[in-house]
Amino acid sequence: MNGKISNFVQVCSLRRYTLTEGSEKGLDILDCDNGKIRFLLNVSKALDIAQLWHEGQNMSFLSKNGLTGREIPFLNRFEGGMLYTCGLDSVGSREGFELHGSHHNTPARVIKAECNEEGITVEAEISATALFGKNLLFKRKVFTAVGSGEVQITDTLENRGYIEENYCLLYHVNVGYPMLDAGAKIVANVKNATARTPWAKENECSMYEMNDAKPCQEETCYFLDMTTPTVSLINEKIGKMFTLSWSNDMLPHFVEWKSMASGDYALGLEPCTTKLDDYFTYNSIKAGEKKVFSLSIQIQ
């Protein structure tokens, strides 16, 4: 260890605690700080990233609902967060299924949580099982190096059952103020864009440009066909670039969700296994098979 460091916590730390007040009460959190990036892993919610800061500035969208452990309707508990993992039973809005699926609301079992000179490593497992039904195991590994501006997420889906099963995944990455602000722009290699609604079609000329917040502004949503699995949001006002990269072979589709509404000011960058609405399809995983998905969040 560097002789100038009295305690390693000066440069990198990993702390675990349980929230005790209000709607957050009972949630288990891993607070990870590598000296440049700090993020909260919500153990009670599939080890998703509840919030993330870069050099002290917030990068993520956290809705007015805040964090909640209560089982209440989606619109009353959706926190957004830096990463909200959707699936494995459904993504988007589909009759007979919870909006964006049940995965996020499944508690994780932490099997490794280390902080050392290499960085912070957290590994956890989330089960999706049913009597006389599926036996899926979702393993998540989160890693960030000391002093790095990057967080790496590697997910492995394993079918421990004896028959083929269906699954779907959507990584709902949500950017908020001050990273998201008027004048910020999306930069990506897009070969085709399809508006999800008539309102989105009417405003597609500004799909990559962020505007000021406006009361009651309707959201817009676009399906983007990407030539490369990377998208960036550049904010010259604060001098930062937020870049999301993913494993294109396993996540071939992408959704941009843009809400410029006052009080619900958010940008969703969403790699996924399937398109939404009438274009929704499941993927399949054979008995004994494993599938690996990767995601990288980098801020410069």
Side-chain angles (χ1 to χ4, degrees):
M1 184 182 290
N2 188 326
K4 298 176 183 177
I5 301 171
S6 177
N7 188 313
F8 191 66
V9 172
Q10 290 178 215
V11 295
C12 191
S13 65
L14 172 63
R15 293 183 173 92
R16 184 166 187 167
Y17 44 76
T18 300
L19 302 177
T20 61
E21 301 292 335
S23 63
E24 300 178 343
K25 186 174 183 179
L27 293 178
D28 289 326
I29 299 293
L30 283 171
D31 190 334
C32 307
D33 189 339
N34 75 2
K36 186 174 288 286
I37 284 182
R38 179 189 172 206
F39 55 95
L40 306 181
L41 294 174
N42 194 338
V43 178
S44 301
K45 301 288 184 178
L47 206 73
D48 276 339
I49 304 176
Q51 196 166 1
L52 185 147
W53 299 263
H54 179 259
E55 297 176 332
Q57 285 185 304
N58 175 65
M59 298 287 109
S60 43
F61 166 68
L62 189 63
S63 80
K64 62 176 74 74
N65 296 328
L67 305 181
T68 178
R70 297 179 296 165
E71 293 301 321
I72 54 179
F74 178 87
L75 293 180
N76 301 109
R77 64 164 174 76
F78 176 67
E79 70 267 27
M82 185 80 271
L83 172 61
Y84 185 111
T85 307
C86 307
L88 299 163
D89 49 352
S90 185
V91 298
S93 177
R94 299 174 60 229
E95 186 175 353
F97 293 91
E98 182 177 353
L99 188 58
H100 276 320
S102 58
H103 180 83
H104 173 78
N105 285 323
T106 307
R109 182 172 72 91
V110 176
I111 58 176
K112 181 178 182 179
E114 291 184 353
C115 178
N116 53 40
E117 293 186 28
E118 291 185 359
I120 299 170
T121 303
V122 178
E123 297 180 15
E125 297 178 345
I126 302 100
S127 297
T129 62
L131 182 65
F132 305 123
K134 62 186 176 183
N135 186 7
L136 299 177
L137 184 66
F138 190 90
K139 299 179 181 179
R140 169 159 288 177
K141 178 181 178 180
V142 181
F143 173 76
T144 185
V146 177
S148 168
E150 181 180 18
V151 179
Q152 300 170 5
I153 300 105
T154 304
D155 292 337
T156 302
L157 178 63
E158 179 182 354
N159 184 354
R160 292 191 165 184
Y162 298 92
I163 61 172
E164 186 172 277
E165 297 289 351
N166 291 331
Y167 75 91
C168 55
L169 271 173
L170 183 148
Y171 291 87
H172 213 299
V173 177
N174 305 289
V175 185
Y177 181 84
M179 183 63 221
L180 179 67
D181 203 350
K185 294 183 178 180
I186 290 175
V187 176
N189 294 319
V190 180
K191 59 183 178 181
N192 186 53
T194 304
R196 189 181 186 187
T197 64
W199 173 252
K201 178 68 175 177
E202 185 178 330
N203 290 272
E204 64 182 358
C205 62
S206 61
M207 72 172 74
Y208 305 131
E209 300 174 0
M210 304 302 118
N211 309 313
D212 275 322
K214 182 179 179 180
C216 302
Q217 181 69 60
E218 184 179 337
E219 65 183 359
T220 55
C221 191
Y222 302 94
F223 304 133
L224 307 182
D225 292 328
M226 316 283 275
T227 57
T228 54
T230 300
V231 60
S232 296
L233 179 70
I234 298 175
N235 184 331
E236 295 182 354
K237 191 179 297 185
I238 62 173
K240 291 188 187 295
M241 179 170 69
F242 179 100
T243 300
L244 175 68
S245 304
W246 61 94
S247 49
N248 191 58
D249 57 333
M250 300 302 295
L251 300 164
H253 303 284
F254 187 86
V255 180
E256 176 200 340
W257 169 60
K258 179 181 168 184
S259 173
M260 300 287 96
S262 298
D264 295 300
Y265 195 68
L267 174 67
L269 306 172
E270 308 168 18
C272 43
T273 61
T274 175
K275 293 181 179 180
L276 305 182
D277 306 328
D278 294 339
Y279 303 100
F280 173 87
T281 58
Y282 282 113
N283 284 11
S284 62
I285 181 169
K286 297 177 182 178
E289 188 178 8
K290 296 180 181 180
K291 293 182 180 288
V292 180
F293 310 84
S294 62
L295 203 70
S296 166
I297 294 171
Q298 187 171 17
I299 302 110
Q300 295 175 313

